Amino acid sequence: EGFSSFAGLWYMQVAKNDTKPYFAQLRRWKSDILANGAKAGPISMGWRVTLVRDGGVDYQTVVYYKGAWVLHMLRTLMIDLKTMNEDRFTNMMRDFYKSYEGKYASTEDFQRIVERHTGTSMTWFFDEWVRGAAVPRYNVQWKVVDAPGGKFQVHLKVLQEGVPESFQMYVPVTMPLADGGVVRMRVPVKGAGFEGDLPALPSRPKDFIFNDYEGVLADVSVEHL
């Protein structure tokens, strides 16, 4: 169900050549997911999520909507932020389809295909987003500081809440620069959060977009100091 929901979104984006409806729908689904919170239970429980608490929860929200979100987060994790090339994710999805067309595929089967294309273990990701139910809250503060050689740096502080201490994600950040350039990177946020100076920039950033592309299913608040 999660795959079908995501496939519909992806097709709509490609067919219309427009990302706005794609992200608008993701945000609508996110509102429903955040309303349930971790009490909804993990995707891996399937139909059993309706038994997690009195009155049950919305199966469609957990399995259809959050399942689609998991695929979107994988898409964002696998994109080349320098070129915005998405071949790695697209090839992974094609590989999964061809490998299991007409067959039963488990979550573990899909994880193996993902790892084949990322070249690294993705157990942490599947433990958090498929076998786990926690959704992070990010309280973000940022400011621009001078760096040697006439350059600039963003000092970033991220407080992560609502998740286990081992929880980690690589959050996409975009910084449009005063000279017309754009810098994109991923910030590793783990445990209590992150604090430090990001790599030096050749020009002063005009803005700081944390969790760009809705890269992480999260509740985010951002403050510019």
Side-chain angles (χ1 to χ4, degrees), residues 49-81:
V49 297
T50 59
L51 307 177
V52 169
R53 60 187 172 90
D54 292 340
V57 297
D58 188 349
Y59 173 87
Q60 184 165 337
T61 297
V62 176
V63 177
Y64 284 74
Y65 299 169
K66 193 176 180 183
W69 256 97
V70 167
L71 289 164
H72 167 72
M73 287 189 286
L74 278 173
R75 180 184 185 185
T76 308
L77 270 175
M78 296 176 74
I79 195 171
D80 185 331
L81 290 181

Side-chain angles (χ1 to χ4, degrees), residues 133-203:
V135 176
R137 293 188 302 274
Y138 296 134
N139 296 306
V140 181
Q141 294 180 333
W142 69 281
K143 64 179 179 180
V144 180
V145 297
D146 293 332
K151 296 184 178 182
F152 302 89
Q153 284 181 300
V154 168
H155 182 80
L156 177 64
K157 182 177 181 180
V158 182
L159 178 64
Q160 178 171 250
E161 299 176 317
V163 292
E165 186 176 347
S166 61
F167 196 97
Q168 63 176 354
M169 276 300 284
Y170 298 88
V171 185
V173 166
T174 300
M175 292 174 283
L177 305 182
D179 65 2
V182 177
V183 173
R184 300 181 181 92
M185 65 181 68
R186 293 181 176 90
V187 175
V189 180
K190 182 177 181 179
F194 172 93
E195 182 168 12
D197 292 327
L198 300 185
L201 304 168
S203 177

